[in-house]
């Protein structure tokens, strides 16, 4: 599930793909803080009356919940961007806070869409001079197909 | 230039037993939860039949008191942890991703794990019948000193509760992250369906109280085997502390079992009234209020253990206060039906019955909230009647309503409406024959958890037992209807209920294996 935004100006073609994440990092922090505050408050009362194992279990559970939120948050800022200009194709991948940029020749880049017999399009790859980069890992089959159809007149390419 | 050939099976999924063992698909896991909970429902129901057989007439007929108490205890434990809770998690798995436009749960592998922990726990729990000393007989509330003194069956139950608690925690964390992070673009919090809202709040309750239950049973275990004295008065411990800890979990647990039921009602009633839900915002706030208040009422279960008058007053008034948000909900459901184009298909029949019968259970709860009355009625059949009106007619009948409502979407077939209505009327009438007389036996002073009773209670008990046998048998009809619907029937269209307006009804029936890979946009 992705949010896709694209433009044809000022460059020839640009598309950005982001995984859908409906809760912002600040929202996540607020939600987790409220849960942690409530849970720890209860636990401390139980510690006070002598039932200290409650704190242990509550702590373990909050760590698990926190890790789950953290895991989701880590990927919340991920995106892939494809920019096609006159003579170059730039694929920018932002994952886990790190950027990776691959520049390909605009004249030699070809698009490869790998589809299974049932019609499921599993890969969309850009290739040029022995260099290959996958685009649209967050996209669904239909979205890859749609994007490939849009790019084909610009880049040329084929389906397998 | 050629493309690389890959052996990939993204759109395939394993078949046979491997499909069910390894599945990470939310629909498969939802189905597993529902099947498991139905099996547990039938088993725990069979235990209830045995209990009612013994109580058919005064005197000891079939079971010795210890075995009788094993039957009542296991009936309660299995119904709560094995039937009702997993059934609602099954609904959550099936419906939440479909209702918020998400392709799956946020952590599909965790989801698989959280289900497969349950059969392991069930094996431990049911296996305890076979060990020396038998299963637990100290009541589902697990009070010490009985739970400190029992045999190995008690250890097995403690481990089973631990595992089921772990499963619930994993499930609730998954539900929270799914609802908060995977909503379709445009689906702001105040647009999510009420069923999703109620589950979000339920998941919060689970996260808050499950560590308390886990630590309570751990302390029982360490008291039993590792020389601690948390609850052992002989060693300076306090058995009453267990009651406080247990009910701090136990009362929110009641709402964990009823809030998703409210969500199901809030989905079905607008559909068959062909009107939007009346007072959506107030429903959300009422649900949240019930959840918050559920943390400050626990000691109303313990009025007879002794507490200061100020404490009794506090817990009495807070308990009564819960009637306010609950009343808001009942008012909103009735207002939704008001001047609607109502039709009474089976899901709606069950929903209307839940409103009526749950309200009776709510009122008897108010009666029990009054301290002097509660002191008289503590541990009588009045309490048994009260919580069955809340949990059977509130939770279990809502689950039945939900199954009838979504079965066409899940299976692609319509269930047999005539048989569904038979099931409804048999269930509703037999339920009242079973449990309504218990109000009278309770008011007359018949204690719960005893296999024998005074002659004065004979008639009412016989009526209750006859009702229970009909109630039990009518659930076999439910099983038949569901299996028949899964195997075939009239094809259900995309939207068999014309008043339904949540996202799942935009999908074909049966729902494809993968859904909402492209997020729908909500306006």
């Amino acid at each position: 599930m992705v949010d896709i935004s694209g433009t044809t100006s000022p460059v020839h073609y640009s598309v950005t793909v982001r995984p859908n994440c409906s809760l912002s990092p600040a929202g996540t922090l607020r939600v987790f803080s409220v849960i942690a505050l409530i849970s720890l408050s209860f636990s401390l009362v139980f510690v006070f009356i002598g039932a200290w194992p409650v704190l242990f279990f509550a702590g373990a559970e909050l760590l698990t919940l926190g890790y789950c939120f953290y895991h989701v948050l880590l990927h919340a800022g991920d995106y892939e961007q494809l920019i096609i200009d006159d003579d170059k194709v730039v694929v920018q991948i932002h994952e886990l806070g790190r950027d990776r940029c691959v520049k390909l020749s605009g004249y030699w880049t070809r698009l490869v869409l790998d589809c299974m017999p049932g019609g499921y399009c599993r890969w969309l790859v850009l290739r040029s001079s022995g260099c290959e980069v996958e685009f649209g890992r967050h996209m669904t089959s239909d979205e890859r197909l749609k994007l490939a159809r849009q790019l084909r007149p610009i880049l040329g390419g084929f389906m397998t | 230039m050629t493309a690389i050939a890959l052996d990939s099976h993204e759109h395939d999924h394993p078949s046979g037993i491997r499909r069910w063992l390894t599945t990470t698909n939310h629909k498969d896991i939802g189905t597993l939860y529902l099947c498991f909970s139905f099996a547990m429902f039938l088993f725990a129901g069979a235990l209830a039949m045995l209990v009612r057989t013994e109580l058919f007439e005064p005197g000891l007929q079939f079971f010795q008191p210890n075995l009788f108490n094993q039957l009542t205890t296991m009936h309660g434990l299995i119904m709560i942890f094995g039937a009702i809770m997993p059934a609602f998690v099954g609904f959550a798995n099936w419906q939440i991703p479909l209702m918020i436009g998400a392709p799956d749960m946020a952590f599909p592998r965790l989801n698989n794990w959280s289900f497969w922990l349950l059969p392991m726990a069930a094996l431990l729990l049911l296996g305890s019948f076979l060990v020396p000393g038998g299963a637990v007989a100290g009541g589902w509330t697990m009070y010490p000193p009985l739970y400190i003194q029992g045999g190995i069956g008690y250890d097995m139950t403690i481990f089973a509760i631990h595992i089921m608690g772990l499963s619930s925690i994993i499930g609730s964390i998954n539900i929270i992250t799914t609802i908060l992070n995977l909503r379709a673009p445009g689906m702001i919090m105040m647009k999510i369906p009420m069923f999703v809202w109620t589950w979000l709040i339920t998941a919060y309750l689970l996260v808050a109280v499950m560590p308390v239950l886990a630590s309570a049973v751990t302390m029982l275990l360490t008291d039993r085997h590792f020389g601690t004295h948390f609850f052992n008065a002989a060693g300076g411990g306090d058995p009453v502390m267990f009651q406080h800890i247990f009910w701090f979990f136990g009362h929110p647990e009641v709402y964990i079992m009823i809030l998703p039921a409210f969500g199901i009602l809030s989905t079905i009633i607008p559909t068959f009234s062909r009107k939007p839900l009346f007072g959506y915002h107030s429903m959300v706030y009422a649900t949240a209020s019930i959840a918050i208040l559920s943390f400050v009422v626990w000691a109303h279960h313990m009025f007879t253990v002794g507490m200061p008058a100020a404490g009794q007053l506090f817990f009495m008034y807070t308990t009564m206060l819960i009637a306010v948000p609950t009343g808001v909900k009942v008012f909103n459901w009735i207002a939704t039906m008001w001047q609607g184009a109502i039709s009474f298909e089976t899901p709606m029949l069950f929903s209307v019955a839940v409103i009526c019968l749950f309200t009776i259970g709510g009122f008897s709860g108010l009666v029990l909230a009054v301290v002097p009355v509660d002191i008289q009625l503590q541990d009588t059949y009045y309490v048994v009647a009260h919580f069955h009106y809340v949990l059977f007619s509130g939770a279990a009948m809502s689950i039945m309503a939900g199954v009838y409502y979504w079965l066409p979407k899940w299976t692609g077939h319509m269930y047999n409406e005539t048989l569904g209505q038979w099931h409804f009327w048999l269930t509703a009438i037999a339920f009242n024959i079973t449990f309504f007389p218990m109000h009278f036996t309770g008011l007359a002073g018949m204690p719960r958890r005893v296999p024998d009773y005074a002659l004065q209670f004979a008639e009412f008990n016989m009526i209750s037992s006859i009702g229970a046998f009909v109630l039990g048998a009518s659930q076999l009809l439910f099983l038949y209807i569901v299996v028949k619907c899964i195997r075939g029937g009239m094809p259900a269209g995309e939207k068999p209920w014309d008043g339904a307006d949540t996202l799942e009804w935009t999908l074909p029936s049966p729902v494809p294996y993968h859904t909402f890979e492209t997020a729908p946009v909500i306006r």
Side-chain angles (χ1 to χ4, degrees):
Chain A
M1 191 162 69
V2 292
D3 293 336
I4 302 171
S5 55
T7 176
T8 52
S9 176
V11 289
H12 281 155
Y13 191 90
S14 163
V15 62
T16 306
V17 181
R18 296 173 195 278
N20 181 41
C21 185
S22 47
L23 190 67
S24 66
T28 307
L29 190 64
R30 274 199 297 273
V31 168
F32 183 72
S33 304
V34 169
I35 296 175
L37 186 71
I38 293 169
S39 196
L40 290 176
S41 306
F42 293 153
S43 307
L44 288 173
V45 173
F46 282 113
V47 170
F48 182 70
I49 63 168
W52 55 265
V54 176
L55 186 62
F56 168 76
F57 281 103
E61 188 194 58
L62 285 174
L63 282 176
T64 313
L65 179 67
Y67 177 76
C68 288
F69 275 138
Y70 176 69
H71 181 84
V72 172
L73 263 189
L74 273 181
H75 291 278
D78 291 359
Y79 67 86
E80 292 175 335
Q81 191 173 39
L82 173 68
I83 300 168
I84 302 172
D85 210 338
D86 283 334
D87 58 352
K88 61 178 184 293
V89 174
V90 181
V91 177
Q92 181 126 16
I93 297 171
H94 181 86
E95 190 174 40
L96 295 175
R98 281 191 291 257
D99 283 314
R100 187 161 68 96
C101 185
V102 180
K103 288 182 182 163
L104 305 170
S105 161
Y107 301 109
W108 292 100
T109 300
R110 291 291 178 268
L111 184 76
V112 181
L113 183 67
D114 185 26
C115 293
M116 293 175 72
Y120 180 74
C121 300
R122 53 187 174 179
W123 270 16
L124 196 155
V125 177
L126 297 160
R127 284 182 183 164
S128 172
S129 312
C131 184
E132 179 176 286
V133 58
E134 187 191 353
F135 186 79
R137 284 168 308 151
H138 303 301
M139 296 167 85
T140 63
S141 166
D142 289 345
E143 288 163 349
R144 285 191 196 107
L145 189 62
K146 193 175 163 190
L147 181 65
R149 282 186 182 139
Q150 284 178 14
L151 292 178
R152 203 169 178 179
I154 309 169
L155 292 177
F158 58 90
M159 287 189 203
T160 63
Chain B
M1 193 155 53
T2 55
I4 303 160
L6 286 171
D7 290 328
S8 182
H9 303 281
E10 283 90 340
H11 256 211
D12 293 341
H13 52 84
S15 55
I17 189 75
R18 263 194 63 219
R19 168 181 173 181
W20 300 104
L21 283 174
T22 61
T23 183
T24 53
N25 184 291
H26 71 99
K27 301 174 191 85
D28 279 352
I29 295 172
T31 304
L32 285 170
Y33 266 109
L34 289 169
C35 292
F36 172 83
S37 72
F38 198 63
M40 290 293 108
F41 176 69
L42 292 180
F43 184 84
L47 298 183
M49 295 302 105
L50 297 178
V51 168
R52 287 315 318 174
T53 306
E54 178 59 50
L55 293 172
F56 191 78
E57 54 185 33
L60 293 180
Q61 269 70 234
F62 301 99
F63 308 116
Q64 289 304 305
N66 184 45
L67 180 56
F68 179 86
N69 282 338
Q70 289 178 32
L71 297 176
T72 53
T73 301
M74 291 295 278
H75 164 73
L77 280 172
I78 297 170
M79 276 295 187
I80 289 169
F81 293 106
I84 304 283
M85 286 174 71
F88 283 128
V89 182
F91 276 107
N93 264 288
W94 253 104
Q95 291 308 130
I96 287 175
L98 295 182
M99 287 175 138
I100 62 171
D104 207 309
M105 299 293 278
F107 299 100
R109 286 194 183 89
L110 267 187
N111 207 15
N112 174 290
W113 236 61
S114 74
F115 171 75
W116 281 109
L117 285 171
L118 277 183
M120 306 302 131
L123 277 179
L124 274 175
L125 201 56
L126 304 189
S128 67
F129 271 116
L130 307 174
V131 298
V136 284
W140 84 276
T141 49
M142 300 186 272
Y143 282 0
L146 289 175
Y147 267 70
I148 296 177
Q149 295 161 351
I152 191 169
Y154 287 73
D155 295 316
M156 292 169 79
T157 302
I158 288 170
F159 280 121
I161 296 292
H162 255 304
I163 295 170
M164 287 195 257
L166 182 62
S167 165
S168 291
I169 286 172
I170 295 173
S172 52
I173 287 174
N174 213 344
I175 287 167
I176 291 172
T177 42
T178 301
I179 296 172
L180 294 180
N181 286 297
L182 297 189
R183 278 168 289 131
M187 185 171 275
I188 55 171
M189 288 306 283
M190 277 303 178
K191 277 188 183 173
I192 62 176
M194 264 315 291
F195 177 73
V196 181
W197 254 119
T198 53
W199 242 114
L200 180 64
I201 292 168
T202 301
Y204 276 125
L205 282 179
L206 276 164
V207 166
V209 299
M210 274 299 159
V212 180
L213 175 69
S215 61
V217 293
T218 303
M219 285 184 274
L220 282 178
L221 196 69
T222 57
D223 273 10
R224 285 169 61 81
H225 297 295
F226 300 104
T228 59
H229 299 96
F230 287 108
F231 310 125
N232 187 352
D238 183 5
V240 174
M241 185 172 81
F242 178 88
Q243 297 188 25
H244 281 289
I245 296 170
F246 179 83
W247 285 114
F248 188 82
F249 148 80
H251 201 79
E253 170 71 10
V254 173
Y255 295 100
I256 285 165
M257 288 188 282
I258 204 67
L259 291 183
F262 290 171
I264 290 175
L265 295 192
S266 302
T267 309
I268 293 174
I269 289 169
T271 297
F272 292 96
S273 304
R274 290 159 184 87
K275 276 176 68 190
L277 180 68
F278 181 88
Y280 171 89
H281 285 70
S282 62
M283 282 295 223
V284 172
Y285 297 133
T287 309
S289 306
I290 291 171
I292 292 164
L293 284 171
S294 74
F295 287 113
V296 289
V297 296
W298 78 92
H300 69 219
H301 296 271
M302 307 164 48
F303 282 143
T304 52
V305 302
M307 69 178 77
Q312 290 181 337
L313 281 173
F314 174 80
F315 287 110
M316 180 173 84
Y317 289 134
T318 50
T319 303
M320 289 177 166
L321 208 56
I322 289 195
V324 177
T326 312
V328 169
K329 283 186 159 291
V330 172
F331 177 83
N332 284 359
W333 291 324
I334 293 169
T336 303
M337 287 190 276
W338 181 254
Q339 294 190 330
I342 304 176
S343 60
F344 287 99
E345 284 88 347
T346 310
M348 184 63 165
L349 283 175
F350 270 103
S351 301
V352 173
V354 170
I355 296 177
C356 300
L357 300 175
F358 176 80
T359 304
I360 293 175
F363 278 130
S364 60
L366 276 177
V367 171
L368 289 168
V370 181
V371 178
V373 179
D374 182 80
I375 288 169
Q376 289 297 312
L377 296 176
Q378 170 89 21
D379 271 342
T380 66
Y381 263 80
Y382 191 89
V383 178
V384 179
H386 158 67
F387 66 71
H388 278 93
Y389 266 85
V390 172
L391 289 181
F392 188 91
S393 65
M397 284 174 69
S398 298
I399 290 167
M400 291 169 196
V403 168
Y404 282 114
Y405 181 65
W406 281 301
L407 206 54
K409 179 55 59 184
W410 297 340
T411 64
H413 305 127
M414 291 304 291
Y415 62 87
N416 185 319
E417 183 62 36
T418 310
L419 289 180
Q421 300 227 358
W422 266 99
H423 173 230
F424 165 74
W425 286 110
L426 282 171
T427 302
I429 293 169
F431 168 79
N432 282 294
I433 293 174
T434 308
F435 293 104
F436 206 78
M438 289 184 191
H439 290 108
F440 306 130
T441 48
L443 285 168
M446 179 169 160
R448 62 194 282 213
R449 293 170 176 158
V450 286
D452 194 5
Y453 49 83
L455 283 175
Q456 72 202 66
F457 306 122
E459 285 80 12
F460 279 135
N461 269 289
M462 191 177 284
I463 293 168
S464 284
S465 290
I466 291 168
F469 299 146
V470 178
L471 184 60
S474 59
Q475 302 324 305
L476 297 177
L477 177 61
F478 183 38
L479 175 66
Y480 172 75
I481 294 167
V482 172
V483 171
K484 190 167 178 277
C485 182
I486 292 169
R487 292 167 69 95
M490 254 176 56
E494 191 174 273
K495 198 168 128 177
W497 316 120
D498 55 353
D501 65 351
T502 39
L503 272 181
E504 74 270 29
W505 303 105
T506 61
L507 298 165
S509 303
V511 186
Y513 198 65
H514 297 288
T515 43
F516 293 129
E517 288 178 306
T518 305
V521 177
I522 313 298
R523 291 186 179 86

